[in-house]
Amino acid sequence: MSVRGSLRRHGFIGTALSLAAAVALAATLSACSGDEPPEKAYSVPTPLCGISLDPALVKAALPGGDTLSTATTKPNGGTVRCNLSVDGEEALSLAQAWWSQGQTTATVSQGYANTDDGVLSEDERFVHTEKAGVGRTVSSCKVSEHPEQDLYTVVETRDTGVDDPAAIEKLLVAFTKAVERSAACG
């Protein structure tokens, strides 16, 4: 029996070929996918839906892409939502929502997706996860249209692969403070 026949009979040739094919496939896939995230070729406007925010904080919570568009919606009498889309796909929502006085940030956060098991800030004003967060504005934030209500802010990423708790926390805190300085707080 030849050496090749002996190797084949013991399964070494098939295993070696399978291993070589797997290595080649892995190399090809990693070359295609790249280790770098997609470039963020768009710019973030300021102000954004009427709120002045640092564009870098917003961009950190967005996926890569070429174009960014914004749309403001008012789904009910107490909510204003700024939806950001990258390359036509909704990527991030920044909202302001009035809730009855006496609620806690932890309670309000239960009304929003991806905030379960969120980190509660020491002052209990903010709850955030790697995908979303809720913040309570200061108690002096009052307007006549919403008596006996408190204004909360909400940051929600969509299914874009952005999972960065530090970026969400920074954006949530900055957005909440920007809303407190805006006309939304009277």
Side-chain angles (χ1 to χ4, degrees):
M1 179 182 273
S2 71
V3 172
R4 185 178 181 103
S6 177
L7 289 174
R8 183 169 301 194
R9 189 168 54 102
H10 292 293
F12 291 118
I13 289 183
T15 302
L17 291 175
S18 296
L19 182 59
V23 169
L25 179 62
T28 302
L29 290 176
S30 68
C32 290
S33 65
D35 292 339
E36 297 295 316
E39 182 182 353
K40 298 177 183 184
Y42 51 81
S43 60
V44 176
T46 187
L48 182 63
C49 300
I51 302 296
S52 294
L53 279 171
D54 179 353
L57 293 175
V58 177
K59 211 171 208 183
L62 289 169
D66 294 320
T67 61
L68 177 73
S69 59
T70 64
T72 301
T73 62
K74 296 180 179 182
N76 59 50
T79 302
V80 176
R81 185 170 286 130
C82 180
N83 295 315
L84 289 79
S85 297
V86 174
D87 296 340
E89 296 291 323
E90 192 170 322
L92 181 68
S93 175
L94 302 174
Q96 303 166 45
W98 291 94
W99 284 72
S100 299
Q101 280 181 335
Q103 302 292 318
T104 66
T105 305
T107 302
V108 171
S109 72
Q110 293 173 7
Y112 298 95
N114 298 311
T115 58
D116 294 341
D117 300 321
V119 175
L120 182 63
S121 66
E122 195 172 299
D123 63 4
E124 299 184 358
R125 285 185 59 201
F126 304 97
V127 171
H128 77 280
T129 65
E130 68 278 355
K131 293 184 172 286
V134 174
R136 180 175 34 93
T137 61
V138 292
S139 60
S140 61
C141 181
K142 299 288 179 201
V143 295
S144 60
E145 296 87 14
H146 299 283
E148 300 181 27
Q149 291 185 317
D150 292 323
L151 183 59
Y152 286 82
T153 58
V154 183
V155 172
E156 295 177 283
T157 62
R158 302 303 185 219
D159 190 22
T160 59
V162 175
D163 297 324
D164 187 344
I168 296 300
E169 180 183 24
K170 287 177 186 173
L171 177 57
L172 176 64
V173 171
F175 179 51
T176 303
K177 290 181 179 186
V179 167
E180 290 170 347
R181 292 187 302 269
S182 76
C185 279

